[in-house]
Amino acid sequence: MAPATRSKPARPRGQPLSGLAPYLYLTPALLALGVFVYYPLLNTVYISFHEWNLVSAKRSWVGLENYRNLLMSPDFRGILLQSGLYVLLALVGNFLLPVGLALLTLQVGEREGEVYQSLLFAPTVVAVSVGSLIWLWFYLPAGGVFNSLMAQLGLPPQPWLSSSATALPAVSLVAAWKYLGFHYLIALAGLRAIPREYLEAARVDGASGLSLLRWVVLPLFGPSALFLFLSTVIQSLEYAFIPIEVLTQGGPFGSTSNLMYAVWQEAFKFFRAGLASAQAVTMIALFAGFILWQFRLLERRVAYER
Amino acid sequence: MKRWATLLGVLASGLLGATALSQNVTIQYWHINTESFGLPAVRELIAEFQKRNPNIRVEERFQPNSYTGLLQNLQASLAAGNPPDVAQIGYLYTNYVAENFPYVPLSELQTKFGGDLSGFPANVMALGQVGGVQLGMPYALSNIITYYNADLFRQAGLNPDRPPQTWAEWRAAARQLKERTGKPIYIQLLDDNWSLEALIASNGGTLLSCQNGNAVPGFASREGVEALQFWADLVKEGLALNTLWNQGEQAFLAGEAAAFMTTIAKRSGLQAGSQGKFELRGAKFPSFGSKPIRLPAGGNVLVVFAKDPAKQEAAWKFIRFLTSPEGFTLWTKGTGYVPLLPNLADDPRYLKDFIAQNPIQRVGIQQLPNTYRWTSFPGANGLAASQALFKATQRALGGQASAQVALSEAAQEVSRLIQGEKCVR
């Protein structure tokens, strides 16, 4: 590896930026963040204390009423539970599975590895709405691919998307299929970044198979794994959004909805912006809490290579 | 800096000069018509209109997800101060638009720009009224009919020339179809509760009733429960599909469902989709025994949102053309919607020949006397109330609860959501 060369800074060493300059440099980023993140965020909190339909000039202050309604609502409890299920299923489909596949890919030769990479990555380039439509055909109750297969096996047809028992896993599977390839590539890159010398040194010391994996590979894979884990959790609800809209629209009777879909539905389908904002604030708070907890718990265990 | 200002100035004066000189007006028309659901007719109508009014340009803008989707986007565009000039507003949402949106009432357009509306029957105009105010011009009118696959009927030993008339007959036919062909029937299922309302109303019930001037849910009545339970039993016995509209339509067009209860507005699209695959026929929506069928009117009102007087005038001219005999003729042929001017169906200059050759279209027209205004739940929570009823329907159809339990629980929730709302007609 060639040593990195860096051009010398124009500014003489040891003389800090002074006056307005640092703030000036920060301005573009802060402006963008302010306009597109922090202002909408604060506005959402503000709207969550109101009853408002998004267009009416009448926006009435209702205090904590929206939050109280959410806490009392069995629908909302269902939505929280289902959101948890989406996260868990996404962790299986978009974290464990890609990592496992990446580990397996390392076992085969480079040529074969490339073939698997292309195959697994293929769904990523399909637009998620198009992919969802393809799966809709698979799931069709009459004449769908899955039910035709069931019939050939002599099994009764299943109402994949209209039964609350199968609808959520069915939707989640589409999201997992769509994003598997991308997460797999991240995992593979993380694993390939582990310096070979370490592996060889461990082998010389007598490590092999599982012990190599447990004591050398996985610890060094930590930072990539943390990134993959967090982004899977955070994006799991979003990943399911379009499949939900195409396949079930949150049904049957709300059983495939999740926090993100419910926010959208309340705001832009039922025009109850206050309630939607209260849901959004709850969601942001939950995820922010989760991320903080994650960092405290995992930062200590993840050894970054510095 | 200065150069930019000059350039902007030149551009601005150029634009202003252009409008002042040629007086061309461009208006935007929002509709819900997909390629298989009337978009070709929309294009044809616009081309014809522009030919007659060369100084007006109409830009059509398709809005996905039917009337709900259009309303969502309309809401957003109003919030952004950039609404369309004319939009199709579903009958279900006329109350909502009247209460919440800044529209131009029809009387204002008529006073400003003239136009004789005496050819339209009072009951047709009433479709576009809310609280005595004419919100817009009733344009599309549909009702729910039964489409069926005549080939599957023959295979099952049923006579396609004599389709079942009542639900009891349909149930027997569905059983025979299921036994001999394995194919179920399908009743449209969408979150607008349109087909459920047709079932409940045809069984003598209502979605809403009025108590001391206040709106209260009426669907948990004996009639309502019976109607939904009937549907749920069909599903339970495997005689009817329980699936959302787009999936049910695909099943029907693929020959996997023997009958499809859905809007007459789909007539043209279903004819095109079934061509060369199976013989498509149409029959009336089934009745419960000897009770009269009662069907909520689907379709839309054209409402003007333009603020600029020149655009308002252009929009009004466009609406007048769409609701002229020529306009309705193209519209009915290209979709299936029932023409709102009486006598067009018997007039050889307009639709007489077409309807003579198109018995399915005749069904929609025959059902016109059974068609009434679609019920919408009032107030700011009206759409959420509608969703609560839809969830109850899905619970009953999925067998998670009996129709009795599902509807009673939904009635409690809807009562809470529409509490204090007055009855509106």
Side-chain angles (χ1 to χ4, degrees):
Chain A
M1 216 191 284
T5 53
R6 260 191 215 148
S7 57
K8 281 225 162 156
R11 181 169 50 85
R13 221 172 250 276
Q15 190 185 320
L17 281 169
S18 61
L20 281 176
Y23 301 102
L24 211 61
Y25 294 147
L26 282 174
T27 311
L30 283 180
L31 260 182
L33 275 176
V35 171
F36 295 110
V37 178
Y38 295 113
Y39 169 71
L41 198 66
L42 291 175
N43 208 7
T44 305
V45 176
Y46 177 71
I47 294 171
S48 74
F49 299 122
H50 292 81
E51 191 181 306
W52 183 46
N53 72 1
L54 286 176
V55 278
S56 168
K58 199 181 108 209
R59 197 193 286 198
S60 41
W61 178 269
V62 294
L64 290 171
E65 186 68 28
N66 287 325
Y67 291 94
R68 197 173 309 131
N69 283 342
L70 281 187
L71 286 179
M72 306 291 285
S73 149
D75 280 2
F76 189 65
R77 282 197 288 276
I79 284 166
L80 284 178
L81 195 74
Q82 288 151 21
S83 303
L85 268 175
Y86 273 112
V87 173
L88 282 180
L89 289 173
L91 282 175
V92 174
N94 287 335
F95 177 69
L96 293 180
L97 191 61
V99 170
L101 287 170
L103 283 169
L104 288 176
T105 309
L106 292 181
Q107 309 300 311
V108 300
E110 208 155 288
R111 270 278 174 78
E112 294 93 325
E114 273 169 19
V115 173
Y116 290 127
Q117 276 178 52
S118 324
L119 283 177
L120 287 168
F121 193 69
T124 312
V125 296
V126 178
V128 58
S129 49
V130 176
S132 303
L133 277 176
I134 296 171
W135 279 86
L136 184 65
W137 283 27
F138 289 2
Y139 288 133
L140 278 184
V145 174
F146 289 150
N147 277 346
S148 305
L149 285 175
M150 298 283 282
Q152 281 182 9
L153 295 172
L155 295 166
Q158 292 299 311
W160 303 107
L161 298 173
S162 41
S163 151
S164 55
T166 46
L168 194 149
V171 170
S172 196
L173 179 62
V174 178
W177 166 83
K178 161 72 186 161
Y179 296 101
L180 172 79
F182 185 62
H183 286 212
Y184 159 79
L185 277 196
I186 296 174
L188 196 61
L191 287 170
R192 288 213 167 119
I194 295 171
R196 298 225 151 181
E197 303 87 69
Y198 293 175
L199 300 177
E200 275 153 27
R203 279 202 195 94
V204 170
D205 287 348
S208 66
L210 278 181
S211 62
L212 192 71
L213 185 71
R214 167 70 185 86
W215 299 107
V216 183
V217 175
L218 288 184
L220 288 170
F221 180 55
S224 310
L226 177 66
F227 168 75
L228 202 57
F229 180 80
L230 281 182
S231 53
T232 303
V233 171
I234 294 166
Q235 295 185 93
S236 54
L237 300 187
E238 193 187 327
Y239 283 172
F241 187 95
I242 292 173
I244 293 175
E245 175 64 9
V246 174
L247 297 172
T248 63
Q249 285 147 40
F253 46 94
S255 63
T256 55
S257 188
N258 67 28
L259 269 168
M260 195 167 278
Y261 190 79
V263 168
W264 174 80
Q265 217 178 18
E266 278 299 341
F268 302 107
K269 230 166 168 172
F270 311 145
F271 305 127
R272 299 197 291 185
L275 201 66
S277 299
Q279 283 183 342
V281 171
T282 313
M283 177 168 73
I284 293 164
L286 281 175
F287 276 107
F290 170 78
I291 290 168
L292 284 178
W293 175 73
Q294 277 297 309
F295 271 121
R296 299 188 86 174
L297 191 78
L298 290 174
E299 273 278 286
R300 271 178 282 150
R301 302 196 182 171
V302 174
Y304 282 99
E305 195 198 352
R306 286 174 218 270
Chain B
M1 200 65 178
K2 205 174 168 197
R3 235 188 312 163
W4 277 109
T6 327
L7 190 66
L8 276 176
V10 169
L11 267 174
S13 59
L15 283 171
L16 288 173
T19 37
L21 276 176
S22 60
Q23 292 189 323
N24 274 343
V25 186
T26 302
I27 56 170
Q28 216 176 73
Y29 170 45
W30 281 18
H31 62 83
I32 61 145
N33 302 104
T34 58
E35 198 65 48
S36 66
F37 183 28
L39 184 54
V42 169
R43 290 204 195 99
E44 203 180 338
L45 283 161
I46 289 175
E48 190 58 39
F49 173 74
Q50 290 182 156
K51 215 189 295 167
R52 297 174 187 206
N53 299 273
N55 59 338
I56 302 176
R57 228 173 70 80
V58 181
E59 286 175 349
E60 52 92 6
R61 290 281 182 279
F62 164 69
Q63 305 298 317
N65 275 340
S66 195
Y67 297 117
T68 319
L70 188 144
L71 200 68
Q72 287 159 16
N73 295 343
L74 183 59
Q75 185 121 353
S77 74
L78 282 163
N82 188 25
D85 302 292
V86 185
Q88 296 179 347
I89 302 295
Y91 291 127
L92 189 59
Y93 295 125
T94 49
N95 284 343
Y96 191 83
V97 168
E99 280 168 32
N100 295 297
F101 290 179
Y103 65 95
V104 187
L106 200 78
S107 55
E108 189 183 322
L109 295 167
Q110 219 183 345
T111 321
K112 276 189 185 165
F113 313 114
D116 178 24
L117 299 174
S118 59
F120 291 90
N123 65 331
V124 165
M125 291 308 284
L127 291 169
Q129 286 165 5
V130 177
V133 177
Q134 190 79 39
L135 179 78
M137 193 66 201
Y139 176 46
L141 181 73
S142 63
N143 45 46
I144 184 166
I145 78 159
T146 308
Y147 298 91
Y148 59 98
N149 181 327
D151 297 349
L152 285 175
F153 259 58
R154 286 187 204 99
Q155 267 182 48
L158 294 163
N159 182 355
D161 298 329
R162 300 198 50 201
Q165 309 267 316
T166 65
W167 278 114
E169 288 169 21
W170 263 108
R171 184 190 205 132
R175 195 162 283 141
Q176 199 167 331
L177 281 160
K178 184 79 190 174
E179 276 161 16
R180 307 224 183 141
T181 69
K183 313 293 184 194
I185 66 170
Y186 173 64
I187 304 168
Q188 145 170 1
L189 177 64
L190 261 182
D191 60 1
D192 58 16
N193 302 313
W194 199 52
S195 53
L196 179 70
E197 183 169 350
L199 280 166
I200 292 180
S202 296
N203 197 31
T206 55
L207 288 199
L208 268 180
S209 40
C210 211
Q211 235 170 46
N212 309 321
N214 286 326
V216 290
F219 50 76
S221 63
R222 191 173 54 80
E223 292 85 0
V225 169
E226 249 176 40
L228 179 56
Q229 192 60 53
F230 178 82
W231 186 3
D233 288 343
L234 286 180
V235 170
K236 196 171 144 198
E237 292 165 43
L239 303 181
L241 276 180
N242 168 25
T243 187
L244 293 176
W245 197 40
N246 54 352
Q247 299 159 41
E249 181 180 347
Q250 290 199 23
F252 181 67
L253 285 177
E256 294 290 342
F260 181 19
M261 278 92 175
T262 194
T263 169
I264 181 66
K266 276 259 159 200
R267 194 260 312 144
S268 170
L270 289 176
Q271 280 175 333
S274 61
Q275 192 149 36
K277 290 195 241 165
F278 61 85
E279 189 195 339
L280 180 75
R281 301 243 190 134
K284 281 191 175 182
F285 190 73
S287 67
F288 282 98
S290 57
K291 293 179 192 173
I293 52 168
R294 295 198 64 230
L295 313 172
N300 61 63
V301 184
L302 296 173
V303 180
V304 174
F305 294 96
K307 293 211 174 73
D308 171 36
K311 291 196 178 209
Q312 284 179 355
E313 186 174 6
W316 180 234
K317 274 190 179 159
F318 183 54
I319 290 177
R320 294 288 292 153
F321 171 72
L322 291 182
T323 54
S324 66
E326 293 81 8
F328 273 130
T329 301
L330 284 174
W331 186 230
T332 297
K333 283 184 182 169
T335 53
Y337 282 117
V338 176
L340 290 179
L341 278 171
N343 310 327
L344 286 193
D346 307 319
D347 194 325
R349 285 174 300 167
Y350 302 113
L351 285 165
K352 187 168 193 268
D353 296 344
F354 178 75
I355 286 169
Q357 291 156 16
N358 221 312
I360 303 180
Q361 186 67 49
R362 210 153 48 222
V363 177
I365 295 175
Q366 280 166 353
Q367 291 189 149
L368 210 46
N370 305 82
T371 306
Y372 68 96
R373 192 168 157 194
W374 193 351
T375 308
S376 59
F377 293 100
N381 292 324
L383 301 173
S386 178
Q387 184 74 7
L389 178 57
F390 178 62
K391 280 185 182 166
T393 310
Q394 285 191 309
R395 276 181 78 197
L397 294 185
Q400 271 79 10
S402 67
Q404 174 77 56
V405 170
L407 288 180
S408 306
E409 287 179 12
Q412 279 176 20
E413 194 182 344
V414 170
S415 294
R416 193 175 56 75
L417 288 168
I418 64 170
Q419 197 169 28
E421 296 293 340
K422 302 274 163 263
C423 314
V424 272
R425 265 280 85 174

